[in-house]
Amino acid sequence: MICSSFLADTSAAIILDTSVIINLHACGRGKGILGAIPNRIIIPQVVIGELEREGGRGKDEAAFAKELIDEGIAEMMWLDERAFGIFEQLITGSPSLGDGEAATIAIAATGNHIPVMDDRKGRSCGTPILGQADLPWSLDLFLHPDFRATLADAEYLETLFQAFRKGRMRMDEERCDAIVSVLGIERALQCSSLPNYKARRKIWLSEQTTKMRA
């Protein structure tokens, strides 16, 4: 393993935020990832609606989410009365969250489920509501050992790379160096969503120059 997944040792249901759907669609193996993970997978109806409203590529991502549901890989969930109360507080409070993040947190909070989300503001607001110190990122789906075991190294690396390059997947600072060590500098330079990309880019370019001169 590159590094550990926060989801490897839990059997709780997993709730997917909008950005997670985007990353799974972008990598080209989203169905394989979720199909390999043994947890129950939930997509809030609000998340699908948010993607549909975006138009353009968002409609393709909404269609992908619906395919996951139609094929039984995931299930769609509406906000019940309790969840809607939390949702409303999150979209109208300060700071306010987008609909997808708010719905993901609300469903997780009322069902003792685990939200997977990359938005830093959403993660910050969700932590005290859920009482969890560390919320999983999209990356934790990709790092799940049950999925990792399904692919050869080259296929796995390409899947991860496309999530960062095409999906602009975000991640935590702590695991970035480990991920870059696997991606390699050439690929990492194409992934501007990596933490502190501008500062790291200067270091990577300097390292490339040093190697070329050696």
Short mmCIF file of all heavy atoms in Angstrom, two decimals, residues 164 169-171 176 179-180 183 187-189 191-198 200 204:
data_model
loop_
_atom_site.label_atom_id
_atom_site.label_comp_id
_atom_site.label_asym_id
_atom_site.label_seq_id
_atom_site.Cartn_x
_atom_site.Cartn_y
_atom_site.Cartn_z
N PHE A 164 -6.67 12.72 -10.06
CA PHE A 164 -6.03 14.00 -9.74
C PHE A 164 -5.99 14.94 -10.95
O PHE A 164 -6.25 16.14 -10.82
CB PHE A 164 -4.60 13.76 -9.24
CG PHE A 164 -4.51 13.30 -7.82
CD1 PHE A 164 -4.08 12.02 -7.52
CD2 PHE A 164 -4.87 14.14 -6.78
CE1 PHE A 164 -4.00 11.59 -6.20
CE2 PHE A 164 -4.80 13.72 -5.46
CZ PHE A 164 -4.35 12.43 -5.17
N MET A 169 -8.88 16.02 -8.02
CA MET A 169 -9.11 15.50 -6.68
C MET A 169 -8.19 16.17 -5.67
O MET A 169 -7.00 16.33 -5.91
CB MET A 169 -8.88 13.98 -6.67
CG MET A 169 -9.18 13.31 -5.33
SD MET A 169 -9.29 11.50 -5.47
CE MET A 169 -7.56 11.06 -5.70
N ARG A 170 -8.77 16.55 -4.54
CA ARG A 170 -7.99 17.14 -3.45
C ARG A 170 -7.72 16.10 -2.37
O ARG A 170 -8.41 15.09 -2.28
CB ARG A 170 -8.74 18.34 -2.87
CG ARG A 170 -8.73 19.55 -3.80
CD ARG A 170 -9.64 20.64 -3.30
NE ARG A 170 -11.03 20.30 -3.52
CZ ARG A 170 -12.06 21.04 -3.11
NH1 ARG A 170 -11.84 22.15 -2.43
NH2 ARG A 170 -13.31 20.67 -3.36
N MET A 171 -6.70 16.39 -1.55
CA MET A 171 -6.32 15.44 -0.51
C MET A 171 -5.67 16.18 0.65
O MET A 171 -5.44 17.39 0.58
CB MET A 171 -5.35 14.41 -1.09
CG MET A 171 -4.04 14.98 -1.57
SD MET A 171 -2.80 13.71 -1.93
CE MET A 171 -2.50 13.05 -0.28
N CYS A 176 0.51 13.59 1.08
CA CYS A 176 0.85 14.05 -0.27
C CYS A 176 2.18 13.49 -0.77
O CYS A 176 2.29 13.01 -1.90
CB CYS A 176 0.85 15.57 -0.32
SG CYS A 176 1.09 16.24 -1.98
N ILE A 179 1.94 9.97 -1.90
CA ILE A 179 1.22 9.84 -3.17
C ILE A 179 2.12 10.26 -4.33
O ILE A 179 2.18 9.59 -5.37
CB ILE A 179 -0.07 10.69 -3.15
CG1 ILE A 179 -1.08 10.10 -2.16
CG2 ILE A 179 -0.68 10.78 -4.54
CD1 ILE A 179 -1.57 8.71 -2.51
N VAL A 180 2.83 11.36 -4.16
CA VAL A 180 3.72 11.84 -5.22
C VAL A 180 4.84 10.85 -5.49
O VAL A 180 5.26 10.67 -6.64
CB VAL A 180 4.30 13.23 -4.85
CG1 VAL A 180 5.37 13.67 -5.84
CG2 VAL A 180 3.17 14.26 -4.81
N LEU A 183 3.13 8.47 -7.83
CA LEU A 183 2.78 9.07 -9.12
C LEU A 183 4.03 9.39 -9.95
O LEU A 183 4.04 9.24 -11.17
CB LEU A 183 1.99 10.36 -8.90
CG LEU A 183 0.56 10.26 -8.41
CD1 LEU A 183 -0.01 11.66 -8.17
CD2 LEU A 183 -0.32 9.51 -9.41
N ARG A 187 4.10 13.06 -13.52
CA ARG A 187 2.64 13.06 -13.37
C ARG A 187 2.19 14.11 -12.35
O ARG A 187 1.18 14.78 -12.55
CB ARG A 187 2.15 11.68 -12.96
CG ARG A 187 2.23 10.63 -14.05
CD ARG A 187 1.56 9.35 -13.58
NE ARG A 187 1.57 8.31 -14.61
CZ ARG A 187 2.53 7.43 -14.78
NH1 ARG A 187 3.60 7.46 -13.97
NH2 ARG A 187 2.46 6.52 -15.74
N ALA A 188 2.93 14.22 -11.26
CA ALA A 188 2.55 15.17 -10.21
C ALA A 188 2.49 16.60 -10.75
O ALA A 188 1.64 17.40 -10.34
CB ALA A 188 3.52 15.09 -9.04
N LEU A 189 3.37 16.93 -11.67
CA LEU A 189 3.38 18.27 -12.26
C LEU A 189 2.09 18.57 -13.03
O LEU A 189 1.76 19.73 -13.25
CB LEU A 189 4.59 18.42 -13.19
CG LEU A 189 5.94 18.60 -12.50
CD1 LEU A 189 7.08 18.44 -13.51
CD2 LEU A 189 6.03 19.97 -11.83
N CYS A 191 -0.86 17.66 -11.91
CA CYS A 191 -1.95 17.54 -10.92
C CYS A 191 -1.97 18.77 -10.02
O CYS A 191 -1.48 18.73 -8.88
CB CYS A 191 -1.78 16.26 -10.11
SG CYS A 191 -1.72 14.75 -11.10
N SER A 192 -2.53 19.85 -10.51
CA SER A 192 -2.47 21.13 -9.78
C SER A 192 -3.36 21.17 -8.54
O SER A 192 -3.31 22.14 -7.78
CB SER A 192 -2.85 22.28 -10.71
OG SER A 192 -4.15 22.09 -11.24
N SER A 193 -4.17 20.13 -8.32
CA SER A 193 -5.01 20.11 -7.11
C SER A 193 -4.28 19.54 -5.90
O SER A 193 -4.82 19.55 -4.80
CB SER A 193 -6.27 19.28 -7.38
OG SER A 193 -5.95 17.92 -7.63
N LEU A 194 -3.06 19.05 -6.10
CA LEU A 194 -2.29 18.53 -4.96
C LEU A 194 -2.01 19.65 -3.96
O LEU A 194 -1.86 20.81 -4.35
CB LEU A 194 -0.99 17.92 -5.45
CG LEU A 194 -1.11 16.59 -6.22
CD1 LEU A 194 0.21 16.23 -6.88
CD2 LEU A 194 -1.56 15.47 -5.29
N PRO A 195 -1.93 19.34 -2.67
CA PRO A 195 -1.72 20.37 -1.64
C PRO A 195 -0.45 21.19 -1.89
O PRO A 195 0.59 20.63 -2.25
CB PRO A 195 -1.60 19.56 -0.35
CG PRO A 195 -2.28 18.28 -0.63
CD PRO A 195 -2.06 17.99 -2.07
N ASN A 196 -0.57 22.52 -1.72
CA ASN A 196 0.57 23.43 -1.88
C ASN A 196 1.29 23.20 -3.21
O ASN A 196 2.52 23.13 -3.27
CB ASN A 196 1.56 23.28 -0.71
CG ASN A 196 0.96 23.72 0.61
OD1 ASN A 196 0.30 24.75 0.68
ND2 ASN A 196 1.17 22.93 1.65
N TYR A 197 0.49 23.07 -4.25
CA TYR A 197 1.03 22.71 -5.56
C TYR A 197 2.11 23.70 -6.04
O TYR A 197 3.15 23.27 -6.54
CB TYR A 197 -0.09 22.64 -6.59
CG TYR A 197 0.40 22.42 -8.00
CD1 TYR A 197 0.80 21.15 -8.42
CD2 TYR A 197 0.48 23.48 -8.91
CE1 TYR A 197 1.27 20.94 -9.71
CE2 TYR A 197 0.95 23.28 -10.20
CZ TYR A 197 1.33 22.01 -10.59
OH TYR A 197 1.81 21.81 -11.86
N LYS A 198 1.86 24.97 -5.90
CA LYS A 198 2.82 25.96 -6.43
C LYS A 198 4.19 25.82 -5.78
O LYS A 198 5.22 25.84 -6.46
CB LYS A 198 2.28 27.38 -6.23
CG LYS A 198 1.09 27.71 -7.13
CD LYS A 198 0.66 29.15 -6.96
CE LYS A 198 -0.50 29.47 -7.88
NZ LYS A 198 -0.95 30.88 -7.73
N ARG A 200 5.34 23.15 -4.14
CA ARG A 200 5.89 21.84 -4.47
C ARG A 200 6.39 21.79 -5.92
O ARG A 200 7.39 21.15 -6.23
CB ARG A 200 4.83 20.75 -4.25
CG ARG A 200 4.67 20.34 -2.80
CD ARG A 200 3.84 19.06 -2.70
NE ARG A 200 4.07 18.39 -1.43
CZ ARG A 200 3.32 18.55 -0.35
NH1 ARG A 200 2.29 19.40 -0.41
NH2 ARG A 200 3.58 17.90 0.78
N TRP A 204 9.83 20.26 -7.33
CA TRP A 204 9.87 19.18 -8.32
C TRP A 204 10.68 19.58 -9.56
O TRP A 204 11.47 18.78 -10.06
CB TRP A 204 8.46 18.80 -8.73
CG TRP A 204 7.63 18.24 -7.61
CD1 TRP A 204 8.07 17.60 -6.50
CD2 TRP A 204 6.21 18.31 -7.51
NE1 TRP A 204 7.02 17.25 -5.69
CE2 TRP A 204 5.86 17.66 -6.28
CE3 TRP A 204 5.18 18.82 -8.30
CZ2 TRP A 204 4.54 17.54 -5.86
CZ3 TRP A 204 3.87 18.70 -7.89
CH2 TRP A 204 3.55 18.06 -6.68
#
